[in-house]
Amino acid sequence: PVLGALLLGDKQDRSADAAIRVTPLAGTAIQIQDDLQDVLGTKGRGLPGADLLEGKLTWPWIRFLDGATPAVKGELLELLNQRDRRRKDVIPWINRIQASGVITDANLRIAALLDRASQASLRLLPEGVTHCLHQRLLDPLRALADTTETLSHATLRACPTMTTALAPRTLGTASRSPN
């Protein structure tokens, strides 16, 4: 849609090239950040894990599955296939994903995407447009990504029932793998 609008507006090839390079990078970073906010419960939809409760397999969960053992994969896919998922079924998975290192990986991915978008915008867009893009989109996204790791720890502290009642059963030993 962005490229179509530029072409219809008779913009130069340089602007179209910038849109082709910058928009998907920033859009992917926005989507991963949105998925992380759901995992952390900072999306405004209540407690953490609303997407998982609805049966949505989002970027953090796909990344989690990439590093999981076959048994853990089977357990999560079984939950996703249930018709009646309940909050109490989702909470142990929130603990698992937060202990797995996926949140840190997602933040690194967001930072890399934003850096690539920033570099492309600096090369391809006029200075004023680049400044506006950074001020209104890329810089706020980078700041939000920088706080996500802190938010993951704050979520666990704010929900002591998750850490005290469920963590011993779901976290096992402290490690960065989802096993």
Side-chain angles (χ1 to χ4, degrees):
V2 173
L3 178 58
L6 287 169
L7 293 175
L8 289 173
D10 199 28
K11 294 294 178 189
Q12 299 294 328
D13 289 337
R14 187 173 176 186
S15 294
D17 192 36
I20 289 170
R21 293 174 191 264
V22 174
T23 305
L25 297 169
T28 302
I30 290 168
Q31 185 59 56
I32 294 170
Q33 184 62 48
D34 180 73
D35 294 344
L36 279 181
Q37 287 178 310
D38 178 79
V39 169
L40 298 171
T42 60
K43 194 173 176 178
R45 298 177 68 198
L47 295 174
D51 284 342
L52 189 61
L53 187 62
E54 294 171 4
K56 296 177 185 175
L57 192 58
T58 60
W59 193 94
W61 295 108
I62 292 168
R63 183 78 178 105
F64 176 83
L65 286 171
D66 282 345
T69 64
V72 170
K73 286 179 187 179
E75 290 175 42
L76 181 56
L77 294 175
E78 183 179 320
L79 174 66
L80 287 166
N81 287 324
Q82 291 176 2
R83 288 191 184 271
D84 287 342
R85 284 174 296 281
R86 292 170 286 181
R87 175 89 36 213
K88 72 177 186 76
D89 300 327
V90 170
I91 290 173
W93 290 100
I94 299 300
N95 285 331
R96 282 180 163 184
I97 199 169
Q98 290 186 350
S100 73
V102 167
I103 291 169
T104 299
D105 291 346
N107 281 323
L108 292 172
R109 178 74 175 144
I110 291 166
L113 288 165
L114 294 175
D115 285 345
R116 288 176 51 205
S118 178
Q119 291 167 8
S121 71
L122 290 171
R123 275 193 327 271
L124 300 167
L125 293 172
E127 186 178 323
V129 175
T130 299
H131 175 73
C132 182
L133 177 69
H134 280 259
Q135 185 179 29
R136 300 201 181 253
L137 177 66
L138 300 179
D139 293 343
L141 273 174
R142 189 172 282 115
L144 187 58
D146 288 345
T147 63
T148 305
E149 190 74 31
T150 303
L151 289 173
S152 70
H153 298 295
T155 300
L156 285 175
R157 284 193 305 275
C159 301
T161 56
M162 286 188 349
T163 55
T164 57
L166 300 171
R169 189 162 47 106
T170 58
L171 291 176
T173 60
S175 76
R176 290 184 46 89
S177 72
N179 305 328

